[in-house]
């Protein structure tokens, strides 16, 4: 029997973090991977709770205590097989999930102040090391039928849907407008959180399983939806939520004011060497930058601008730190790298000075009653206005889904916020009003976590399989 008090004798270790002075000048992942010994020891800190809160708090309901036990025993391939039973992208979720708000936040060890089991780091270790050692998904018992499904969008929902379909003998063909798979995993999340080699490796794995990718192909522009519906037995839409949310104040369209996502995509393409001809690189070197917003996208903008050599980066958010939506870990990393935070500041407008610089008008806020999500509303304090002078403003207020031009003609319905309406509890999960079309991920629930998109892609695949009679 192992040491049941290992959690007391061994400190939490998520992997060595690269020093801020080093990491803030490079686009590389900042957490070093665990080695075999460290992973086994960290997995051994798990209490194997009878009612594992970590598992329930995980959106895909990973068998966390079970694969931690397998890692402790050194059974790497068994752990990889088990982790893939619930999650199509475990090595990616291990990197980008806000574990502090999910599985690790629910870990029993937190209650005693011992520090949660490093679930995310071990999850990353399992798949990374299993792939290196030659493990691949076992497709030897899969018998392919004559059914095929078109998947629109190679983001987490689309990839998860393809994974479940191909394992059940249905051939998925994934279409995406970008030059590489991943959606925002590749083009929205900076490399200091997720190096793109990880996504490229996942593509190779999936192609080896029988998934086909058609990239640089936009449905509705390069291929019409009608022939797709005629050629394929079903269609899954995982097109994400890319519509920029405006703040509704003057000056948002001034030169030097940038939307978060195009800025992040531009930076990733610079790193990948795929910036389209005629598109100018966006670089904050030597600039004074103000980022508006408090979510993970705002943190990505903050930390990207730092790495590009910005003279200063100030992040202004309308609520306090406790009520911000972003990962606490990412905020801490941003602070270490030199980002200054202004809490409880509401933007009122942006003006352009004669010399071309920008002046951001902010007002202090006080927190009122909680909103529907439990976060306290920000109320402007009269007479508290202040001005921030800068060279660029990056607006990161979030994203929302929007209907494609062909939705109405094909009978696909959306709600008042542009989200695709599906049946999550009907006979065929995630089926739209058009019975041949299914959808999941951000375009259904609105901008949300990668792991929730993975869950919905997998659930939609189950609905498709049921509809196809598999």
């Amino acid at each position: 029997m192992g040491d049941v008090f290992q959690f007391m004798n061994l400190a939490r270790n998520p992997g060595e973090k690269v020093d801020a002075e080093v990491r803030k000048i490079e686009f590389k992942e900042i957490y070093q991977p665990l080695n075999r010994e460290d992973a086994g020891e960290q997995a051994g800190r798990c209490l194997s709770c009878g009612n594992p809160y970590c598992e329930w708090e995980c959106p895909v309901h990973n068998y966390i205590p079970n694969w931690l036990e397998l890692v402790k025993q050194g059974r790497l391939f068994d752990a990889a097989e088990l982790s893939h039973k619930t999650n199509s992208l475990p090595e990616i979720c291990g990197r980008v999930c806000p574990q502090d708000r999910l599985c690790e936040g629910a870990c029993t060890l937190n209650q005693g102040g011992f520090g949660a089991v490093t679930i995310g780091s071990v999850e990353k270790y399992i798949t990374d090391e299993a792939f290196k050692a030659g493990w691949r998904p076992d497709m030897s018992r899969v018998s392919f039928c004559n059914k095929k499904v078109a998947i629109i969008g190679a983001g987490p929902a689309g990839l998860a849907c393809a994974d479940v379909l191909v394992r059940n003998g249905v051939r998925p063909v994934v279409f995406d407008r970008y030059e590489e798979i991943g959606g925002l995993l590749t083009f929205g999340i900076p490399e200091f959180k997720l190096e793109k080699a990880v996504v490229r490796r996942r593509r190779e794995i999936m192609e080896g399983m029988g998934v086909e990718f058609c990239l640089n192909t936009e449905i509705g522009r390069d291929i019409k939806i009608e022939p797709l519906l005629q050629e394929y037995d079903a269609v899954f839409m995982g097109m994400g939520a890319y519509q920029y949310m405006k703040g509704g104040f003057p000056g948002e369209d001034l030169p030097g004011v940038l939307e978060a996502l195009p800025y992040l995509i531009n930076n990733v393409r610079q790193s990948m060497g795929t910036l389209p001809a005629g598109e100018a690189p966006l670089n904050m070197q030597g600039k004074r930058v103000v980022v508006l917003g408090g979510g993970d996208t705002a943190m990505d903008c903050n930390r990207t601008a730092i790495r590009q050599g910005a003279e200063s980066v100030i992040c202004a958010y309308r609520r306090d730190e406790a009520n911000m939506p972003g990962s606490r870990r990412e905020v801490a990393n941003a602070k270490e790298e030199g980002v200054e935070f202004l809490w409880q500041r509401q933007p009122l407008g942006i003006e352009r000075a004669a010399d071309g610089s920008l002046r951001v008008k902010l007002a202090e806020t006080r927190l009122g009653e909680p909103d529907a999500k439990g976060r306290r509303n920000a109320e402007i304090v009269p007479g508290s206005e202040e001005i921030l002078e800068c060279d660029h403003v990056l607006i990161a207020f979030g994203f929302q889904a929007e209907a494609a031009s062909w939705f109405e003609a094909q009978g696909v319905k959306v709600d008042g916020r542009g989200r695709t309406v599906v049946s999550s509890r009907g006979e065929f999960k995630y089926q739209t009003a058009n019975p041949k079309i299914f959808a999941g991920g951000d375009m259904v629930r609105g901008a949300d976590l990668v792991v929730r998109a993975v869950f919905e892609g997998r659930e939609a695949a189950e609905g498709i399989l049921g509809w196809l009679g598999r």
Side-chain angles (χ1 to χ4, degrees):
M1 184 176 179
D3 180 7
V4 296
F5 297 108
Q6 185 162 330
F7 68 92
M8 298 180 67
N9 303 322
L10 185 69
R12 168 184 165 86
N13 173 22
E16 185 178 351
K17 185 160 65 170
V18 177
D19 184 80
E21 291 304 311
V22 175
R23 71 180 192 249
K24 72 180 187 181
I25 60 173
E26 59 185 17
F27 285 92
K28 295 180 181 179
E29 291 182 13
I30 73 170
Y31 291 98
Q32 299 301 300
L34 298 174
N35 59 36
R36 180 176 180 176
E37 181 180 0
D38 287 340
E41 289 180 343
Q42 290 300 307
R45 296 182 72 243
C46 177
L47 297 176
S48 298
C49 304
N51 185 16
Y53 298 113
C54 59
E55 192 172 307
W56 287 108
E57 198 64 31
C58 172
V60 294
H61 306 304
N62 280 329
Y63 302 126
I64 294 170
N66 305 76
W67 46 248
L68 286 173
E69 178 62 26
L70 291 171
V71 170
K72 185 175 74 172
Q73 295 175 12
R75 296 164 58 186
L76 180 63
F77 281 18
D78 289 337
E81 193 70 42
L82 184 61
S83 71
H84 279 79
K85 287 187 180 297
T86 53
N87 192 344
S88 300
L89 306 171
E91 77 282 17
I92 291 173
C93 290
R95 287 169 162 85
V96 304
C97 268
Q99 287 94 2
D100 56 327
R101 288 196 280 131
L102 298 172
C103 55
E104 293 182 10
C107 178
T108 302
L109 292 183
N110 270 335
Q111 312 308 314
F114 294 103
V117 175
T118 53
I119 297 168
S121 297
V122 176
E123 182 179 34
K124 178 176 69 171
Y125 162 84
I126 291 170
T127 303
D128 283 353
E129 294 305 313
F131 281 160
K132 288 179 187 176
W135 179 86
R136 295 294 183 270
D138 183 8
M139 301 291 289
S140 62
R141 299 181 182 179
V142 175
S143 177
F144 284 95
C145 65
N146 61 352
K147 303 291 186 182
K148 59 179 182 177
V149 174
I151 294 176
I152 307 174
L159 296 178
C161 183
D163 176 56
V164 173
L165 290 175
V166 78
R167 287 172 182 268
N168 284 274
V170 174
R171 297 194 180 277
V173 180
V174 185
F175 298 85
D176 199 277
R177 58 179 171 168
Y178 287 116
E179 65 269 22
E180 186 52 273
I181 75 162
L184 293 185
L185 296 176
T186 296
F187 296 98
I189 298 178
E191 291 208 90
F192 50 78
K193 289 169 64 176
L194 175 62
E195 292 180 10
K196 305 315 165 190
V198 176
V199 184
R200 289 194 296 270
R201 182 183 60 191
R202 177 53 69 172
R203 174 183 173 181
E204 293 169 2
I205 296 296
M206 296 190 75
E207 287 176 333
M209 296 168 68
V211 178
E212 180 183 347
F213 293 101
C214 294
L215 304 177
N216 291 306
T217 303
E218 184 172 343
I219 304 303
R221 183 192 66 188
D222 302 305
I223 298 177
K224 299 299 183 184
I225 187 64
E226 291 80 8
L228 211 65
L229 288 167
Q230 293 170 4
E231 183 179 349
Y232 291 85
D233 297 287
V235 173
F236 172 77
M237 303 187 303
M239 290 135 63
Y242 287 83
Q243 180 64 33
Y244 156 66
M245 293 177 65
K246 286 183 170 290
F249 50 77
E252 283 186 276
D253 299 320
L254 286 172
V257 180
L258 305 173
E259 299 174 22
L261 190 53
Y263 167 66
L264 293 172
I265 293 174
N266 182 284
N267 175 73
V268 169
R269 281 177 157 165
Q270 288 182 61
S271 299
M272 293 173 58
T274 61
L275 194 65
E279 182 175 336
L282 300 174
N283 197 307
M284 300 297 128
Q285 184 172 12
K287 305 296 185 182
R288 299 165 299 168
V289 180
V290 172
V291 177
L292 302 178
D296 287 340
T297 300
M299 297 309 111
D300 292 344
C301 289
N302 288 328
R303 300 177 65 201
T304 295
I306 286 286
R307 283 161 175 77
Q308 289 184 333
E311 177 183 315
S312 64
V313 179
I314 297 174
C315 182
Y317 178 60
R318 60 180 177 157
R319 294 184 175 93
D320 62 6
E321 186 171 0
N323 282 276
M324 69 178 304
S327 165
R328 305 293 183 267
R329 179 179 62 194
E330 292 305 304
V331 174
N333 288 333
K335 288 179 178 178
E336 291 172 3
E337 292 165 8
V339 176
E340 178 186 348
F341 285 86
L342 290 180
W343 306 111
Q344 295 181 235
R345 298 294 196 282
Q346 175 79 39
L348 301 179
I350 306 172
E351 297 178 351
R352 186 175 173 85
D355 63 0
S357 64
L358 299 172
R359 295 164 57 85
V360 184
K361 187 176 183 179
L362 302 171
E364 189 176 338
T365 65
R366 56 175 166 243
L367 298 182
E369 294 301 313
D371 62 14
K373 294 183 178 180
R375 289 184 297 158
R376 296 171 65 190
N377 285 304
E379 302 170 351
I380 292 176
V381 176
S384 64
E385 292 81 4
E386 61 183 308
I387 299 293
L388 284 183
E389 294 185 357
C390 63
D391 302 299
H392 281 288
V393 178
L394 301 175
I395 299 183
F397 291 148
F399 312 98
Q400 59 189 18
E402 60 179 337
S405 59
W406 43 267
F407 272 21
E408 185 175 356
Q410 300 303 326
V412 178
K413 300 184 183 302
V414 297
D415 66 12
R417 295 168 60 186
R419 299 175 300 184
T420 303
V421 176
V422 299
S423 172
S424 59
R425 297 178 181 174
E427 183 179 3
F428 305 116
K429 292 180 287 188
Y430 291 89
Q431 189 176 46
T432 70
N434 182 327
K436 200 172 185 178
I437 301 177
F438 294 72
D442 287 2
M443 67 180 301
V444 168
R445 65 183 303 117
D448 206 335
L449 301 177
V450 168
V451 68
R452 291 201 174 102
V454 169
F455 174 77
E456 294 197 352
R458 292 176 63 88
E459 289 287 288
E462 295 292 342
I464 293 170
L465 291 169
W467 192 69
L468 295 177
R470 292 290 289 172

